[in-house]
Structure formats: structure tokens, C-alpha cells
Amino acid sequence: MSITPQFTMLQVQDYMLKNIERYEQTILDALRRTGEKAVAYMRSLRTYKDRTTNLRSSAGYAIYKDGSQVGESFTGSAEGVQSSKAICMEVAAQYAPSKGFLLVVTAGMEYAIYVEAKGYDVITGGSKEASKFIKDRMQKIHRKISK
């Protein structure tokens, strides 16, 4: 007496690919929400006087998957957006993995580091908030998948 499967290997493969796509989409959504939270936090800070509005408007993020950009959010002054995008591309060129995900959050104006050095929060708080949020989201995703 033999057991006859009620499915084909193609069906198994299709099932696995759909689950992988769903898992990757969940990760991308978590990264997108993390980027949005970080940028909102950075823009809400009032620890410094943003005379030109370029520094606050240079807050943005980009998401990379397998070395290619798959999402971004940059809004504000043309100078701030241009600067932030350039930094994201530079960071991604150094750190984007050939396999996997990367979220780059920026304060794109070149003088952001000097404002931070004077003790004002430009990106540090947003980075910490993003780190806490993504760790929490990834733990929830892991628990959900592990069930």
C-alpha cells in the first residue's frame, strides 16, 4: 500500500515562493514604517533653529533590497532633497548588501554634523527611535512566522 501525494512539486514550489514574497513584503513594510517614523521624529525636533528650512527638509530615507533601491521618501526644499538623495546613494554604494535589505535614513545637509556636534539633535534621536521600532517589528514578524 503506497501513499500518493495530492500535490505536485510545482505546487510546493509555488507555495514556498508566495510565502517568501509575503515575508519580504512584510519586511519592506516594516522598513518603510521605520523610515517614516524616523523622519517624522527628526522633523518634529525643535532643538535647533532651522533658518533656511534646508536641514529639516533634508530628512529622508531610502530602502534597498539586494543592492537595488526599492523605496524612498524625500520631501522638502530642492536643495535638502537633492543632498539627502546623494547621501543615500553614497551610503548604499558602501553598505547595500548583494542579498538582503538596507534602510538609509539621512539628514542630508553637510552641516548637520556640525549642528549635532554643538549638542543639538538632528538625526541621533530619529536613529534611536528607528532602531527601537525596527527591533520590535522584526521580533513580532519572527514570532508570527515561528508559529
Side-chain angles (χ1 to χ4, degrees):
M1 176 163 164
S2 65
I3 298 174
T4 307
Q6 299 297 313
F7 54 84
T8 65
M9 285 306 290
L10 187 59
Q11 288 172 317
V12 171
Q13 184 180 16
D14 187 46
Y15 174 80
M16 296 296 284
L17 288 174
K18 284 180 183 174
N19 280 322
I20 290 170
E21 287 174 20
R22 196 175 85 227
Y23 182 64
E24 287 181 347
Q25 189 58 50
T26 301
I27 291 171
L28 286 172
D29 289 342
L31 292 173
R32 192 171 294 111
R33 289 179 59 193
T34 301
E36 293 294 334
K37 279 191 170 291
V39 168
Y41 184 88
M42 291 163 56
R43 288 188 176 161
S44 72
L45 293 173
R46 297 293 180 245
T47 62
Y48 60 91
K49 178 115 175 112
D50 191 9
R51 289 172 172 65
T52 64
T53 70
N54 286 336
L55 186 52
R56 262 192 203 92
S57 72
S58 73
Y61 71 90
I63 301 170
Y64 298 85
K65 178 182 179 282
D66 300 336
S68 298
Q69 187 176 330
V70 294
E72 68 175 30
S73 179
F74 301 99
T75 58
S77 71
E79 185 179 354
V81 168
Q82 181 181 352
S83 179
S84 196
K85 282 184 176 186
I87 288 175
C88 276
M89 289 172 51
E90 187 178 316
V91 170
Q94 290 180 351
Y95 297 103
S98 58
K99 288 286 187 193
F101 297 92
L102 174 69
L103 170 65
V104 180
V105 178
T106 64
M109 299 311 294
E110 59 193 38
Y111 55 87
I113 193 167
Y114 301 108
V115 176
E116 282 259 343
K118 288 187 173 205
Y120 300 108
D121 187 351
V122 176
I123 193 169
T124 302
S127 299
K128 289 178 182 177
E129 288 295 309
S131 180
K132 283 190 266 181
F133 181 76
I134 196 66
K135 284 178 185 175
D136 181 55
R137 289 297 305 150
M138 289 298 125
Q139 287 174 349
K140 286 178 182 176
I141 291 169
H142 180 70
R143 282 194 300 267
K144 190 174 182 180
I145 289 173
S146 298
K147 289 183 179 181

